[in-house]
């Protein structure tokens, strides 16, 4: 690759032009070719060296071009981190004080709603029972009114249970029996387990032997 002068295009464009020329050379050289002698091997090896060098140059140029932007981003994050950390700590401190009170408040509200719902259901059953009895008009009318009132009370109890209290429910997962969990994954999502095993073996078996895994050697051009 030639030296870049002051009037040369930007590094990315210059590299793109160089790679395009190199790519065309490789394409023309390899089309329909078969290596049958040392001279052809040497020529292709030299061409491969050019491709590898271009790849190294491209990566170095890419990193050099990107680094100022990364550094600017890191500096912005560093500038804002103390502010974010203090705000997060302040919010956590407030939440720590609010949580016990709101949990107790929620518990009391849930208990009140439960009692109200039970009372409403009892009234509803009583009203429905009265409607089945051969009472006179006034008794049936009163029973129907009781039934309406009971259903209103049930609706109020339901709304009370759904009222927001500033608490959020978080699911906390704890694996208590790893072997049982592994069996469940194998039965329910074997593909995920297979992927994990293959990735783990790829990292580990090259360094130390693993049961159920074989490592073979294969030679190819570096």
């Amino acid at each position: 690759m030639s030296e870049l002068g002051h009037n040369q295009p930007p590094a990315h464009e210059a590299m793109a032009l160089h790679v395009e020329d190199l790519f065309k050379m490789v394409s023309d050289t390899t089309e329909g070719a078969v290596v049958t002698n040392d001279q052809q091997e040497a020529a292709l090896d030299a061409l491969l060296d050019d491709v590898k060098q271009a790849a190294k140059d491209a990566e170095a140029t890419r990193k050099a071009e990107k680094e100022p932007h990364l550094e600017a981003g890191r500096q912005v994050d560093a500038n804002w981190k103390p502010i974010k950390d203090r705000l997060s700590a302040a919010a956590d401190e407030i939440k720590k004080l609010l949580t016990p009170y709101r949990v107790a408040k929620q518990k009391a509200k849930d208990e009140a709603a439960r009692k109200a719902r039970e009372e409403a259901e009892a009234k509803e059953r009583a009203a429905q029972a009265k409607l089945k009895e051969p009472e006179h008009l006034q008794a049936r009318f009163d029973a129907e009114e009781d039934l309406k009132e009971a259903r209103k009370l049930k609706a109020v109890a339901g709304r009370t249970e759904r009222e927001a209290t500033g608490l959020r429910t978080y699911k906390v997962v704890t694996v208590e029996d790893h072997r049982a969990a592994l069996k469940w994954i194998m039965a329910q999502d074997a593909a995920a387990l297979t992927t994990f095993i293959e990735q783990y073996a790829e990292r580990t078996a090259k360094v130390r032997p693993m049961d159920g895994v074989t490592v073979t050697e294969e030679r190819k051009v570096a």
Side-chain angles (χ1 to χ4, degrees):
M1 183 177 178
S2 60
E3 293 292 330
L4 300 181
H6 295 294
N7 296 323
Q8 292 293 330
H12 171 267
E13 293 182 17
M15 181 61 70
L17 291 172
H18 173 62
V19 169
E20 189 62 31
D21 291 341
L22 189 58
F23 189 88
K24 186 176 186 307
M25 183 182 300
V26 172
S27 179
D28 292 342
T29 303
T30 59
E31 184 178 3
V34 178
V35 179
T36 60
N37 56 59
D38 290 349
Q39 289 77 15
Q40 291 173 327
E41 179 194 16
L44 285 175
D45 201 34
L47 190 56
L48 179 59
D49 286 342
D50 289 342
V51 172
K52 289 180 178 179
Q53 186 60 50
K56 287 177 62 177
D57 292 343
E59 180 62 11
T61 304
R62 183 192 68 81
K63 287 184 177 180
E65 185 176 330
K66 186 178 179 181
E67 182 55 33
H69 302 284
L70 292 176
E71 180 57 33
R74 287 192 290 266
Q75 188 59 52
V76 170
D77 289 342
N79 291 342
W80 281 93
K81 190 176 186 304
I83 296 173
K84 291 175 64 179
D85 287 348
R86 291 181 75 81
L87 289 172
S88 180
D92 288 344
E93 188 67 17
I94 294 171
K95 291 175 184 178
K96 185 169 67 176
L97 288 173
L98 284 175
T99 296
Y101 176 77
R102 286 187 175 173
V103 168
K105 187 177 178 180
Q106 179 72 52
K107 187 176 180 180
K109 190 188 77 169
D110 291 345
E111 180 63 18
R114 183 188 65 79
K115 289 181 178 179
R117 186 175 59 256
E118 289 178 353
E119 291 175 6
E121 289 172 350
K123 287 183 179 181
E124 185 178 25
R125 288 192 298 270
Q128 289 173 338
K130 283 184 180 180
L131 285 174
K132 295 177 182 178
E133 296 174 2
E135 299 283 348
H136 52 74
L137 177 61
Q138 182 62 49
R140 289 199 307 274
F141 180 82
D142 291 342
E144 288 173 355
E145 291 299 307
D146 288 345
L147 185 59
K148 291 178 183 177
E149 183 63 25
R151 287 173 177 170
K152 287 181 181 178
L153 290 174
K154 280 181 67 176
V156 170
R159 286 196 299 272
T160 300
E161 288 179 322
R162 293 191 297 271
E163 286 177 356
T165 57
L167 292 173
R168 179 180 297 174
T169 301
Y170 296 90
K171 291 186 178 181
V172 179
V173 178
T174 303
V175 180
E176 297 178 344
D177 188 333
H178 289 75
R179 189 179 297 274
L182 192 61
K183 288 181 178 179
W184 186 94
I185 297 171
M186 193 61 183
Q188 302 295 328
D189 192 3
L193 190 58
T194 299
T195 299
F196 166 75
I197 292 172
E198 290 174 350
Q199 291 175 345
Y200 184 89
E202 183 68 24
R203 295 192 307 269
T204 306
K206 293 176 181 178
V207 180
R208 58 194 175 104
M210 280 182 61
D211 291 344
V213 179
T214 59
V215 180
T216 58
E217 292 186 348
E218 141 181 339
R219 300 182 70 82
K220 56 185 179 180
V221 176

